[in-house]
Amino acid sequence: MSEPFDITGLKDLSDGDLALCGETLADHLEEHPAYKGQNIPICIPGPGNLREEAHDVKQASNAARQDPSKEPFRLEKRDKIINSIKFSCQYVVMYATHTNDPSQLDGVPVNRQQKAPRSTTVKLPKKFNKFKVSHGDRSGGVKMYVNSWEGKASVDVQICYANPAQEESWQALKMSHYCHFTVDGLEPARRAYFRARLINDAGVGPWSEVVELIII
């Protein structure tokens, strides 16, 4: 099962997407029973740690772009947040095991054992029931999130600056293999519409609901 993001693939993410993964997981853990109202051991990273480390990754990334000698510092910050994501998810696994409630694993990037053989038949993608677009960390940037899916697939995102009811107004924007991703370089101070769909070996899924956002 594909989770919001894959722990084994974190090292392949850009600095911006890695930071976004940490921030998104922090938002999820804020309301998770394993964290909410609990006395968390100091060795377990919490939402605050993840947000702080995501901020550090973005700062280190900017610093390394301006001064290549700071590349080791950037890599250090990346390794730190990757480990924090792993440790926080392992804590959720322990909590789910203790409470005997596998549903507590929803929304965290962990592998689950399948109790029955998985079908090898690839099913036609379904419509995303979650598609969120919010402002990015810099002007002309946006953050996007879609719900998880089963198997291998790609997220196709389109943008429209005119009437979203007219099909010819839509244009390709990004193809992603993750549930959380960013798009930069959009024109600020413009109203835009976004939609997303899933594509796999079986075909193309239906478009999500249209999301409207004024780019800043």
Side-chain angles (χ1 to χ4, degrees):
M1 173 180 291
S2 290
E3 300 294 345
F5 45 89
D6 181 7
I7 281 182
T8 60
L10 287 176
K11 290 186 177 181
D12 298 326
L13 295 180
S14 67
D15 294 340
D17 284 348
L18 179 60
L20 177 60
C21 284
E23 293 168 342
T24 304
L25 180 59
D27 291 342
H28 178 72
L29 296 181
E30 201 92 69
E31 299 300 320
H32 196 283
Y35 280 83
K36 191 173 183 180
Q38 303 286 347
N39 292 321
I40 308 300
I42 193 171
C43 59
I44 302 297
N49 301 104
L50 292 171
R51 291 194 182 95
E52 181 179 348
E53 291 169 14
H55 176 72
D56 289 345
V57 166
K58 288 184 282 189
Q59 281 197 325
S61 180
N62 291 331
R65 279 198 296 267
Q66 299 173 15
D67 181 359
S69 68
K70 295 184 178 180
E71 178 66 8
F73 178 68
R74 182 186 76 88
L75 296 177
E76 175 187 334
K77 295 302 181 182
R78 283 180 58 90
D79 286 342
K80 185 175 182 180
I81 193 172
I82 288 174
N83 283 331
S84 290
I85 290 173
K86 290 180 179 179
F87 293 153
S88 59
C89 291
Q90 288 168 359
Y91 174 70
V92 173
V93 171
M94 289 189 292
Y95 180 86
T97 303
H98 175 72
T99 58
N100 194 28
D101 184 359
S103 69
Q104 300 297 339
L105 300 178
D106 292 343
V108 296
V110 295
N111 295 323
R112 310 188 197 189
Q113 292 183 344
Q114 301 294 325
K115 295 184 178 180
R118 296 182 61 178
S119 172
T120 58
T121 303
V122 179
K123 298 179 181 179
L124 192 68
K126 296 181 179 179
K127 178 179 178 180
F128 285 122
N129 55 44
K130 290 183 181 178
F131 175 48
K132 299 179 182 178
V133 183
S134 59
H135 296 121
D137 298 320
R138 64 185 71 180
S139 179
V142 296
K143 300 177 182 179
M144 296 187 178
Y145 164 73
V146 296
N147 59 263
S148 59
W149 62 84
E150 288 191 4
K152 295 181 179 180
S154 300
V155 182
D156 178 24
V157 181
Q158 290 189 346
I159 187 172
C160 169
Y161 291 108
N163 183 357
Q166 297 179 344
E167 191 63 28
E168 62 271 18
S169 298
W170 291 93
Q171 54 186 293
L173 179 62
K174 185 178 180 70
M175 189 72 74
S176 174
H177 302 296
Y178 298 95
C179 293
H180 304 267
F181 48 92
T182 58
V183 177
D184 293 314
L186 301 179
E187 186 176 345
R190 289 198 65 182
R191 184 184 305 274
Y193 301 89
F194 302 87
R195 65 183 184 180
R197 62 184 177 183
L198 197 61
I199 301 175
N200 64 14
D201 290 341
V204 180
W207 287 112
S208 67
E209 299 298 326
V210 174
V211 176
E212 178 183 352
L213 184 74
I214 297 178
I215 302 170
I216 60 175

